[in-house]
Every structure is written in C-alpha cells, then in structure tokens.
Amino acid sequence: MHITHLSLTNFRNYARLEQSFPDGVIILYGNNAQGKTSLLESIYYMATSRSPYTQSDRQLISWLVLGDPLPFARLVAEISTAEGLKRVEVTLAKKLVGKSYRFVKEIRVNGLPRKVMDLLGQIRVVLFLPQDMALVEGSPSERRRYLNITLCQTNPDYCRALNQYEKVLKQRNALLKQLQENDQRRGRRSDTSQLAFWDEKLAAHGACLIAGRFRLVKELETRAQAIHRDLSGQDENLRMRYEPGFDVTDQPSGQMGFSTGDLGASALPQLPQEEITSLFIDSLRKNYALDISRGITTIGPQRDELRFLINGYDLGIYGSRGQGRTTVLALKLAELTWMEEQTGEPPILLLDEVAAELDPHRRGYLLERIDNVRQVLMTTAEPALLEDMLHVGATRWRVKAGAIEHTD
Amino acid sequence: MSKAVPASVTRLIEEFARLPGIGTKTAARLTYYLLRAPDEHTLALSEALRDLKTSTRTCSICHNITETDPCAVCADENRDAGLICVVEEPLDVLAIERTGTFTGRYHVLHGAINPMEGIGPDQLRIRELLARIGTPDVREIILATNVGLEGDATAMYIYQRARGKVRITRLARGLPVGGDLEYADSVTLAGALDGRREMDGD
C-alpha cells in the first residue's frame, strides 16, 4: 500500500499541508526541528492511533492554536491499497464532554464515522526509530508495546482482546485493592468468590494475547534469524524467546496430559487457546493470597517478557551495542516481510534518522532489502548518505518550518 | 453570571445545569421559559419536584421506586410471584413493562458490580434478592442485567449465590427485530451465532 495524498491541519508545526505523494523512496531532509519527524509521526498516528513520542494527544496539536477556545488538528490520508482507494481522516479536537473540556478523537474511513479500533489496520506501517535501538536492552514494557502494535495492525481479534483485557485487569485490580483493605481492617481473609468472574474473563482474553504473541514471536524469529545471519556473518545465531507472564512449571505434571517439567514455560503457548485459558485460571487462583496482599494482579500478559538470545546469551544483559543494532534491524526487516505475508501487500516503511544510527554495512543492507517496498519515507539530515546507496532514484523533499520544498 | 441576572434566576439556571444532558445554555432557556410561563404552570412544576422526593420511596420487596409500599406490581395478585426479573435500574423495569408480555415480578438492584467505582455486592440489593429466593414460592429468576462487563459480573455473582436454589435464566443475546444481518456489529452477531436455537415448526 502507499499514501497518495496527505493533508495536515494544525498538526505539530504543520499549520497547513497539502501534499501528493509518489510511491518509491521519499527522502525528507533539512535541519532539525523543521517537521521531518512530525510528518512520519502523522502517518504513524493514523495507522496506530498513537504517537511514538507522546502519550498525550494534546501535544500533537500545533501550539500556535492551543490557545484558541476550541483548538483542533486534522489529518487526512488518501491511500492506494490492494483493496482499492481509501480515505482515512482523524480529527483531534477539544470538546465539551459532560461538564469538562477534553481532547476527543474522531475517525472517518471513506467518509463514515468509525471507532478507534476500526482505524487500526487501515494504514499499515513499520516504523523504525533511533530509539528502537533500545528495544533489546530497554524495559520489557517496550517490547510488549512493540508486540501489541504489530499485532493490532494485522489482527482485529487481538486488538479487541487487548482492549477487553485491559478493562478486566483494571476491574480485577480495583477488587483486589478492596479485598486487601478488608483484610487489613478486619484482620481476616476476605471472601474471594467475587474474583471468579474476573478470573474467567481475564484468562479468556489473556489466552488470546498469549497465543497471538507466541505465534508472532515464532514467525518473527525464523525471519529475523536468517536476516541476522546474513548481516553478522555465519557465527551468530539469533533466538527470540517469549516468556508468558505466569509460571506454569508449578502445575502438577501430567494434569493437562503433558509434563510441564520437561518443557518449561516456553511450552505453554504451543497449547490450544482453551488450555492456556484453564492453566491461566488455575494460576490466578493459586495466587489469590499474593494478589490480595499486593492489591494487584501479579501474573498475566501484562508481565510478559520477550528475550533476544545470541548463541544462547541474553542480549539484553550481555550484548554489545552493535549486536543490539543488528538484532533490531533484523527484527524490523522481519516485521516488514511478515506483515506483507499476512496482508498480501507490503506496509509503508517509515525510517526516522536511521542512517545516523547504522554503519555503512548495515545501512547498505537495509536499503537493499527494502527494494520491493512500495513506499518508504525516510528522514535524514544528510541525504547524500542515503542516495549513494539506493538502487533506484528517490524523491527528495526539503522540509523547512512546517512546509515541503521540492528541490528536484 | 452577570450582575444583570437576579440571584434567584442564576440559582435556577445552575440547578438545571447540574442535570444530565443539560448545559448552561439549555438551563438558561428553560429558566426564562418558566419565568414567562403562567404562574400555575411553574408552581405545578415545583410541586411535582417536591413530591418526587417526599412521596416516593423504594418498595420493600422489589426495591423499585414507588409511592405505595408494596409497589403496584408487588401488590398485584395477578402477577406471578414465582417469577422474578432482576434488573439494574428502575428504568429497566419500564422497558420490560413496555413489552406487555412479562407477567412476573421484579427485583431492582440499583446498579451493577463495578470494583473501579467501589460498587460491590454489598452496595447493591443482592442480599435482599437472595432472601426473596429463599422463600418457597419463587421458581425462577431471570437475570436481565445489562450485557457488558459489569452487568455480566453481576449476573455471574448472583448465579453463584443462588445456584441450586432456584431456576436461573439469563436474557438471550442476539439480533434486534428488523435488523439486517449485514449491519449487525460483529460482537452481537457472534453472540447470536453462539446462542442459536433449534428450529421447531410448531
């Protein structure tokens, strides 16, 4: 798929942008703080309903209009896809909701109002940022976020399960907190029967998350492994290990017709989803005392971990920065081919200042591999660095003070 | 509010603005409408407002809002005392009464379990419901709480407590009458598929 037209109003430093997009490689260059990254951000935001840089939608609205009584930002993309042309509109506006003003997101696809959840998957992107280099050594929450965004773009069921899981988790945690307070006040064990309903819902949605993440990690691993071998020479073997956020090794062995002793936690996601659900419920029940004493759900996908191993060593702990970069590059390229296979067409690739982070060898490899991608947007302060390595010509746009200048 | 507006007018505008679905503008319009309306009209409204609180109470049996205790439904000998429809809010009773086909009685919980808002079984009329179930003439309870996380949690809680004592049913989930399949949202449609029934010709 590729974007044919983008229109931005009051988004970051773009007061007004109307821009037609060619396919192929588009290089955005120019000085810092001119709007190169904001352009990528606008596309990513329409694809995922989130910004990679901020949690608050308010910050996306141009600060020049934030002082207005009812400030708004509007993003419209026209996309050419395998299923035909699409028009995606996102309006972000300060509105009176009940008694207070809030920033409200309104979405239209082909002119029809849609929910946020229906936005995901309309535009599919793979984003590669300098800070992604920290994916390997950063906190587990960043890796979970990565898995969630990748899965939500391709799998609406996953997206729905994630949404429900988070709601149930909040309710269950609130209930645990109440039980904790009851325990402390009355000095006796409280009635845990109320937890049963939330356990069931949590486990059913959680099992969907676990199964989805496990499949994704497996798929990414095989692809990333080959790419990584190509990049690093033959002597390094990349493995990705998905570790669900609850321990099944304390299950009585043979209970589910297999011995967990031999397989460990990593065997869990190979089970059918219903079995994951019932193992999850069992684990939740076993943890009642701990969960209540802490007032929070201590097990589940919100605690999942994803590890990268090279020749058996955990990269997050023992890896060098160079190994980390090679791994993230392999992962992103794996994501690109995986998403193409899942959906039948390559996603849009967004590369933010990646040239600066990669040495010429890795950079060359990256540019070689993206030959078949329909549309690539990359930002750089140094366009010559990229152009020398491209097989085909690229469109060059100079970005200056929230406007695009055509230099070709 | 500006000094051009007398305090008693401001006060009513503020009171109206506290109501759900009413903003300051609508509140001001309502207030000035009442100012201009005939005296008896405005006084009738104020009496109605006062009576709303002074002459209503909750029924000691079903906990619906009523003027008499027991309420008209609970006192009606023609209504089946063995069949109890359990709902979250008094408005839900109105919705079911409108069907004109329900001949049993009600039990109003006044809410649904919602831990995040601090609403647990003790804040609802669940204990009273269980007491009613304990009497021998109750044959069946219909759980008509909303479909959704909180309504389902409430239904499940009641089910666990009442299981084995009485027949327990839950409202069916499915498609609205006159609804085209192609317009049904996928969650509803999936629910309707799950809850499909054997055709019987009679």
Side-chain angles (χ1 to χ4, degrees):
Chain A
M1 58 171 52
H2 71 283
I3 294 179
T4 56
H5 190 92
L6 180 72
S7 131
L8 300 177
T9 312
N10 299 335
F11 183 83
R12 295 282 191 184
N13 65 337
Y14 289 92
R16 187 91 183 110
L17 177 81
E18 286 290 344
Q19 180 67 51
S20 293
F21 279 58
D23 50 9
V25 177
I26 300 170
I27 297 176
L28 302 159
Y29 70 100
N31 292 333
N32 286 330
Q34 302 300 313
K36 302 190 297 283
T37 299
S38 299
L39 196 77
L40 299 194
E41 185 185 26
S42 72
I43 297 169
Y44 185 83
Y45 186 73
M46 280 190 277
T48 65
S49 85
R50 287 164 205 224
S51 158
Y53 302 103
T54 172
Q55 298 285 327
S56 131
D57 284 343
R58 184 179 190 278
Q59 290 180 18
L60 299 175
I61 300 179
S62 166
W63 59 270
L64 288 173
V65 297
L66 266 184
D68 291 359
L70 293 174
F72 75 100
R74 200 170 130 77
L75 304 83
V76 185
E78 280 160 29
I79 326 140
S80 161
T81 74
E83 301 131 45
L85 294 172
K86 262 192 240 173
R87 182 184 160 91
V88 176
E89 301 170 55
V90 180
T91 309
L92 195 59
K94 191 171 174 181
K95 286 232 165 100
L96 186 67
V97 182
K99 295 277 162 238
S100 62
Y101 286 93
R102 265 194 275 159
F103 284 89
V104 178
K105 215 178 302 188
E106 276 172 12
I107 290 150
R108 282 172 183 268
V109 176
N110 294 333
L112 297 174
R114 293 293 164 131
K115 293 190 207 131
V116 173
M117 211 174 294
D118 300 318
L119 179 69
L120 301 171
Q122 299 291 348
I123 308 176
R124 284 182 296 271
V125 297
V126 170
L127 175 70
F128 195 176
L129 302 172
Q131 53 266 45
D132 284 339
M133 299 295 174
L135 203 57
V136 167
E137 64 221 56
S139 75
S141 65
E142 284 171 48
R143 289 185 283 279
R144 286 193 293 270
R145 199 176 104 97
Y146 169 74
L147 293 177
N148 283 344
I149 286 177
T150 308
L151 280 161
C152 279
Q153 284 197 71
T154 51
N155 184 349
D157 288 340
Y158 182 91
C159 200
R160 207 166 294 128
L162 180 64
N163 189 317
Q164 288 291 313
Y165 184 85
E166 283 168 355
K167 277 190 196 147
V168 176
L169 185 63
K170 272 191 200 146
Q171 290 282 22
R172 189 175 190 271
N173 285 345
L175 181 57
L176 286 168
K177 217 146 226 115
Q178 283 168 20
L179 293 174
Q180 180 196 38
E181 280 160 17
N182 284 351
D183 275 11
Q184 284 163 357
R185 209 168 40 231
R186 295 185 202 152
R188 63 181 168 84
R189 293 291 302 279
S190 41
D191 171 26
T192 54
S193 66
Q194 269 196 72
L195 283 166
F197 171 81
W198 305 107
D199 291 354
E200 254 169 57
K201 294 278 167 192
L202 199 70
H205 298 306
C208 178
L209 302 186
I210 293 169
R213 287 174 180 182
F214 176 72
R215 275 197 301 271
L216 173 68
V217 171
K218 260 256 168 302
E219 298 274 317
L220 289 179
E221 185 189 33
T222 28
R223 289 166 182 77
Q225 217 164 34
I227 297 167
H228 188 271
R229 210 173 290 132
D230 257 12
L231 264 166
S232 64
Q234 303 300 312
D235 51 340
E236 289 194 336
N237 184 29
L238 173 69
R239 298 292 312 266
M240 288 168 66
R241 199 167 73 200
Y242 169 67
E243 296 171 357
F246 67 95
D247 191 15
V248 282
T249 49
D250 64 340
Q251 301 289 333
S253 68
Q255 184 197 6
M256 305 300 297
F258 69 97
S259 162
T260 47
D262 321 331
L263 302 166
S266 60
L268 175 80
Q270 291 168 13
L271 302 171
Q273 206 164 306
E274 304 80 69
E275 289 194 14
I276 301 176
T277 308
S278 66
L279 282 173
F280 196 166
I281 292 181
D282 288 347
S283 292
L284 284 168
R285 286 197 189 125
K286 283 208 188 85
N287 277 289
Y288 275 174
L290 182 67
D291 281 9
I292 292 170
S293 74
R294 297 210 186 147
I296 199 160
T297 305
T298 55
I299 61 166
Q302 76 281 9
R303 293 276 178 113
D304 278 1
E305 174 59 297
L306 169 65
R307 291 186 199 284
F308 296 91
L309 308 170
I310 284 190
N311 298 341
Y313 292 103
D314 188 329
L315 261 188
I317 304 167
Y318 303 106
S320 72
R321 280 190 71 83
Q323 281 177 316
R325 279 171 193 193
T326 307
T327 302
V328 173
L329 178 57
L331 179 69
K332 289 287 168 172
L333 288 171
E335 185 188 339
L336 193 67
T337 51
W338 176 78
M339 212 180 268
E340 179 175 352
E341 285 165 29
Q342 287 289 302
T343 62
E345 60 183 327
I348 299 163
L349 183 58
L350 307 172
L351 303 171
D352 189 20
E353 297 290 351
V354 171
E357 287 290 321
L358 298 173
D359 61 27
H361 168 61
R362 296 193 187 104
R363 194 158 64 223
Y365 186 86
L366 168 67
L367 296 179
E368 212 174 283
R369 294 282 304 215
I370 60 177
D371 250 9
N372 68 324
V373 179
R374 191 72 192 275
Q375 193 172 46
V376 184
L377 275 87
M378 46 174 90
T379 69
T380 179
E382 201 50 69
L385 215 64
L386 292 169
E387 266 186 349
D388 295 348
M389 292 180 172
L390 284 170
H391 295 274
V392 285
T395 308
R396 291 169 53 138
W397 284 345
R398 185 187 170 86
V399 179
K400 198 175 172 189
I404 290 174
E405 296 173 357
H406 302 255
T407 46
D408 293 338
Chain B
M1 208 134 307
S2 137
K3 275 184 192 144
V5 183
S8 53
V9 174
T10 309
R11 193 175 143 216
L12 186 59
I13 293 176
E14 280 167 359
E15 288 300 328
F16 273 134
R18 275 162 56 179
L19 301 177
I22 294 187
T24 335
K25 266 191 183 162
T26 310
R29 219 169 61 222
L30 291 173
T31 304
Y32 280 97
Y33 169 80
L34 289 174
L35 261 179
R36 271 183 303 239
D39 285 3
E40 60 269 25
H41 185 162
T42 306
L43 289 176
L45 177 67
S46 76
E47 260 169 51
L49 282 174
R50 202 186 48 236
D51 290 355
L52 186 65
K53 279 295 185 181
T54 51
S55 56
T56 61
R57 43 169 305 154
T58 58
C59 169
S60 59
I61 301 172
C62 73
H63 301 281
N64 195 6
I65 306 295
T66 175
E67 284 189 351
T68 58
D69 188 19
C71 72
V73 175
C74 289
D76 187 347
E77 287 296 322
N78 293 322
R79 310 259 331 200
D80 185 352
L83 182 62
I84 298 176
C85 181
V86 182
V87 297
E88 288 179 20
E89 299 294 342
L91 274 177
D92 300 334
V93 172
L94 286 185
I96 291 182
E97 280 297 282
R98 270 200 303 270
T99 65
T101 57
F102 181 66
T103 55
R105 303 191 182 182
Y106 294 97
H107 191 89
V108 183
L109 297 171
H110 292 277
I113 291 177
N114 189 335
M116 265 158 69
E117 307 206 329
I119 303 171
D122 295 345
Q123 279 73 44
L124 304 171
R125 304 290 188 167
I126 290 181
R127 204 176 307 117
E128 291 84 345
L129 173 65
L130 295 175
R132 282 179 83 183
I133 292 169
T135 60
D137 40 339
V138 176
R139 302 184 315 275
E140 175 179 351
I141 57 170
I142 303 169
L143 298 175
T145 52
N146 290 338
V147 177
L149 221 40
E150 289 77 23
D152 286 345
T154 312
M156 183 52 73
Y157 182 83
I158 295 171
Y159 169 73
Q160 282 168 347
R161 289 304 154 102
R163 186 168 37 185
K165 295 178 192 151
V166 70
R167 179 171 184 229
I168 305 171
T169 53
R170 181 94 170 96
L171 279 193
R173 313 169 50 165
L175 296 164
V177 173
D180 274 349
L181 273 196
E182 58 172 320
Y183 295 124
D185 73 282
S186 54
V187 178
T188 305
L189 202 48
L193 274 173
D194 259 357
R196 67 186 185 276
R197 280 193 311 204
E198 201 82 48
M199 288 268 288
D200 47 27
D202 338 301

